[in-house]
Amino acid sequence: MFRIFRRRAQADRGFRDAQRAGQALLQMHAELPTPGSVAATARDTTEAAVVPDFLPPDFRVPSRQDVAGFMMRWDQPLIIDGEVRECPECGAYRNWVVFCMRDDSVWLRCRAAHETRELVLDAAWYNRHSGPADRWHPTLEDGLRHLGH
Ligand SMILES: [Zn+2]
């Protein structure tokens, strides 16, 4: 978990560096070269040359701060502390959608759209059991449709 956060921090730093380099390039084009600015311009160009392997913002996966939460399908019965979880409203015990929200809370949603907060599970559990997020959905409904719910 800590490793993931550090990697995000590095990505954020990389993004800020890319932004700074982009601004420097814009400035380069906006300003007429004057003898005093030559040194600064040369240094900024070097910084920009380091950036190319960094993806432009449109291609980046949204970070945890950009999304309301993550979701995954969980078709098998979900066993927590030796007990099969059941929907308190309809008794369903499989075909869940599991949500991990931005506040690290974990929620279960059954086929009948009953949503229950699962207090025993947390973001660390979710991260251990989910693959990397490979898709971004503009709405909850879109995400549910994608997961077949
Ligand atoms: Zn239910």
Side-chain angles (χ1 to χ4, degrees):
M1 188 147 163
F2 288 115
R3 207 179 59 218
I4 291 167
F5 285 131
R6 197 168 58 233
R7 214 181 303 136
R8 285 212 183 92
Q10 281 169 354
D12 285 349
R13 207 175 314 125
F15 177 63
R16 277 198 302 275
D17 288 347
Q19 257 185 340
R20 223 176 295 131
Q23 282 164 358
L25 274 175
L26 283 176
Q27 237 168 15
M28 245 171 71
H29 291 291
E31 287 172 5
L32 288 172
T34 58
S37 70
V38 170
T41 304
R43 196 188 59 232
D44 291 344
T45 309
T46 314
E47 266 179 26
V50 182
V51 172
D53 63 331
F54 198 81
L55 292 171
D58 286 352
F59 291 96
R60 287 185 312 136
V61 175
S63 78
R64 213 176 182 84
Q65 289 76 38
D66 299 329
V67 298
F70 295 88
M71 57 204 292
M72 66 171 165
R73 265 173 76 147
W74 191 284
D75 292 338
Q76 283 88 23
L78 180 59
I79 300 166
I80 304 168
D81 294 339
E83 277 183 35
V84 176
R85 274 298 183 273
E86 280 185 11
C87 172
E89 293 196 53
C90 71
Y93 62 94
R94 57 183 184 176
N95 296 323
W96 302 104
V97 170
V98 183
F99 296 97
C100 181
M101 305 311 288
R102 199 171 8 190
D103 65 1
D104 284 357
S105 64
V106 172
W107 294 72
L108 303 178
R109 179 184 167 114
C110 73
R111 274 273 182 203
H114 304 130
E115 291 171 0
T116 313
R117 181 161 184 185
E118 182 47 73
L119 293 169
V120 179
L121 305 181
D122 58 10
W125 177 90
Y126 185 92
N127 290 336
R128 276 198 305 278
H129 291 86
S130 66
D134 58 352
R135 231 182 148 87
W136 155 259
H137 301 284
T139 63
L140 172 66
E141 288 69 31
D142 187 63
L144 288 170
R145 232 186 339 265
H146 176 69
L147 294 178
H149 274 244

